[in-house]
């Protein structure tokens, strides 16, 4: 017998490891209906308390509804870098952050545009924009938003057009199948 593998502890050395509650002892010999009749649960977590990981997650509505007095966008000018500002977007995530960053980088007057998400559990991001001085960072963000709205309107129209074509093809195919 090697010293690196000590023998298993005897039940009387660690009695707390081998004790079952009265409910656990009885449930070992019971079926699921009997356990549920006594108030036990088999694989159903709805009635149980949240785990420690679940308690840290905010409620889903907190991800998109603004609280009282909360603003969607706040602007803070950066005093260290000329023509630069930090925008904080509340209740938004990577989707809008990445679209705005991409659109801002297409603008010739924008020198730098980047965003970061401070924490993955909270839906907010910070967008930093630096311009060459011909326009302000705020004007650059407003212009980028207007361009994105126009692009999304075009995408919506194209999608509806393609969907209408597909519906017409399906209706035509169904009518041809009925005639045959």
């Amino acid at each position: 017998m090697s010293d690196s593998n000590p023998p298993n502890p005897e039940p009387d050395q660690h009695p707390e490891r081998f004790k079952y509650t009265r409910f656990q002892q009885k449930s070992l010999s019971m079926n699921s209906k009997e356990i549920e009749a006594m108030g036990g649960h088999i694989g159903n977590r709805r009635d149980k308390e949240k785990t420690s990981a679940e308690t840290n997650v905010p409620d889903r509505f907190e991800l998109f509804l603004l609280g009282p007095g909360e603003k969607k966008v706040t602007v803070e000018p950066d005093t260290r870098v000329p023509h630069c500002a930090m925008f904080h977007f509340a209740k938004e995530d990577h989707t809008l952050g990445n679209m705005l960053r991409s659109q801002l980088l297409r603008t010739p007057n924008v020198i730098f545009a980047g965003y970061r998400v401070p924490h993955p559990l909270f839906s907010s991001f910070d967008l930093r924009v630096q311009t060459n001085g011909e326009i302000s960072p705020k004007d650059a963000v407003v212009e980028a938003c207007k361009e994105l709205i126009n692009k999304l309107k075009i995408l919506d129209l194209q999608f509806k057009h393609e969907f209408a074509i597909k519906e017409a093809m399906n209706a035509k195919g169904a009518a041809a199948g009925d005639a045959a």
Side-chain angles (χ1 to χ4, degrees):
M1 190 165 162
S2 76
D3 292 334
S4 62
N5 294 328
N8 289 334
E10 295 297 322
D12 53 341
Q13 289 178 334
H14 297 283
E16 66 277 356
R17 289 177 64 192
F18 299 98
K19 285 185 180 177
Y20 288 104
T21 64
R22 198 175 294 156
F23 179 74
Q24 288 171 329
Q25 287 175 348
K26 183 150 178 68
S27 68
L28 293 174
S29 63
M30 298 169 60
N31 65 27
S32 62
K33 287 185 181 180
E34 293 171 326
I35 292 171
E36 288 175 359
M38 289 181 60
H41 301 282
I42 304 293
N44 183 358
R45 295 198 57 236
R46 276 186 243 150
D47 298 332
K48 293 183 181 180
E49 291 186 23
K50 291 182 176 182
T51 63
S52 62
E54 291 171 329
T55 57
N56 291 332
V57 177
D59 292 325
R60 294 229 186 256
F61 69 87
E62 291 179 4
L63 297 174
F64 57 88
L65 291 179
L66 292 173
E70 189 176 15
K71 292 184 177 181
K72 189 71 164 177
V73 182
T74 56
V75 182
E76 182 180 326
D78 192 347
T79 57
R80 298 173 293 164
V81 181
H83 312 293
C84 187
M86 180 72 82
F87 298 85
H88 178 76
F89 288 79
K91 310 299 182 186
E92 294 294 342
D93 59 4
H94 287 285
T95 306
L96 182 62
N98 196 31
M99 286 193 311
L100 274 174
R101 180 197 59 83
S102 298
Q103 188 62 42
L104 283 164
L105 290 175
R106 290 187 190 112
T107 307
N109 294 328
V110 174
I111 296 171
F112 175 81
Y115 78 97
R116 72 179 182 100
V117 176
H119 195 278
L121 288 180
F122 303 109
S123 57
S124 66
F125 70 90
D126 298 324
L127 178 72
R128 183 185 203 99
V129 179
Q130 182 182 5
T131 63
N132 61 6
E134 291 182 24
I135 61 171
S136 70
K138 183 178 177 181
D139 292 339
V141 171
V142 169
E143 195 60 37
C145 288
K146 287 179 182 178
E147 290 173 12
L148 280 174
I149 289 170
N150 289 335
K151 286 183 179 184
L152 290 173
K153 284 180 182 177
I154 292 169
L155 178 67
D156 184 45
L157 290 173
Q158 289 174 343
F159 177 79
K160 287 178 181 177
H161 177 72
E162 291 295 323
F163 189 75
I165 291 172
K166 182 174 169 106
E167 288 292 315
M169 299 274 293
N170 286 342
K172 188 178 183 182
D178 291 339

